[in-house]
Amino acid sequence: MSGGGSSSNLNSVFYAENYHPIQAGSIDGTDILPHDNAIYRALLCSSAGLYDPFGDPKVIGDPYCTLFVGHLCHLTNEETLRKAMSRFGRVKNLRLVRDIVTGASRGYSFVEYETEREMRHAYEDAHHSMIDDSEIIVDYNRQQLMPGWIPRRLGGGLGGKKESGQLRFGGRERPFRAPLRPIPWDGLKRLGIPPPPEGRYMARFEVPSPPRRPRSPGDREEHSHKRHHRHHSRHSHRHDRRRSSSRDHSSG
């Protein structure tokens, strides 16, 4: 896209790959000024490095196998949640976030699956399903996988209700709208705000994929070796069968 919304993208939405508080507070990702006090708090945390997404000692497990589950009924307990989420794969770990004083559920949790494949299955199929008469939302583990992430309690996050006055855009529930006006590239650059992510446009009915685990050179070599081994085995097997058939024909 070159500085504004093209006709082919007018009915599309786009998603943030990195988190920036001002962009997240903008319906189309083009604002350059914060419009609520929470964004000022999030900017402070971001610019001063006051939030460490990996500093929570309660966070365990593989982030690429972990889902965020929100909008839970406050009466839902760990057993009910595990049973519901096990319909989509084998649950390895589960943490229902509770108030440290009262012990009451805060309405969201983190669910780790045995494999990344099972996590992705739950990511696609569990979203907007019902648990204890509450329609849940499911997202990938942005805390650990989205660069620059600032949580809701510090003025960041994504989604939100209109009544709160603190809507955040760019995520699965509230993607950015395709910009209808020119993007102020110079203003974004001056404030250190990354431009809206080009090439991330999708139709509204499409499901954005969670980040994939980076593959190391060793993984690629192992994959190539296994593929070569399978190819060599199939070739050898066909060769052995031809030799066997030839011997049978000769002896006949």
Side-chain angles (χ1 to χ4, degrees), residues 65 103 164 211 213:
C65 295
S164 70
R213 188 192 308 275

Side-chain angles (χ1 to χ4, degrees), residues 38-112:
I39 291 180
Y40 279 109
R41 291 195 291 121
L43 273 173
L44 175 63
C45 292
S46 178
S47 59
L50 300 179
Y51 175 68
D52 178 10
F54 302 98
D56 186 350
K58 296 180 181 178
V59 175
I60 60 172
D62 185 344
Y64 289 96
C65 295
T66 301
L67 286 179
F68 166 86
V69 182
H71 290 188
L72 289 168
C73 170
H74 288 274
L75 298 178
T76 298
N77 58 27
E78 285 84 354
E79 182 181 354
T80 302
L81 181 59
R82 180 180 290 272
K83 182 177 180 180
M85 300 306 292
S86 292
R87 290 183 292 137
F88 308 99
R90 296 164 297 163
V91 174
K92 183 177 182 179
N93 289 303
L94 180 150
R95 179 168 71 97
L96 180 61
V97 179
R98 295 183 175 275
D99 188 281
I100 60 174
V101 177
T102 66
S105 167
R106 299 187 63 184
Y108 65 95
S109 68
F110 296 90
V111 179
E112 182 190 8

Side-chain angles (χ1 to χ4, degrees), residues 4 9 11 21 24 47 63 68 106 110 122 135 145 164 211 219 223 250:
N9 288 324
N11 295 318
S47 59
F68 166 86
R106 299 187 63 184
F110 296 90
E135 186 176 351
L145 297 183
S164 70
D219 292 335
H223 178 72
S250 300

Side-chain angles (χ1 to χ4, degrees), residues 183-203:
I183 296 174
W185 300 106
D186 292 339
L188 294 175
K189 185 177 181 181
R190 187 174 66 253
L191 293 172
I193 303 172
E198 294 189 74
R200 293 284 292 145
Y201 286 94
M202 297 178 69

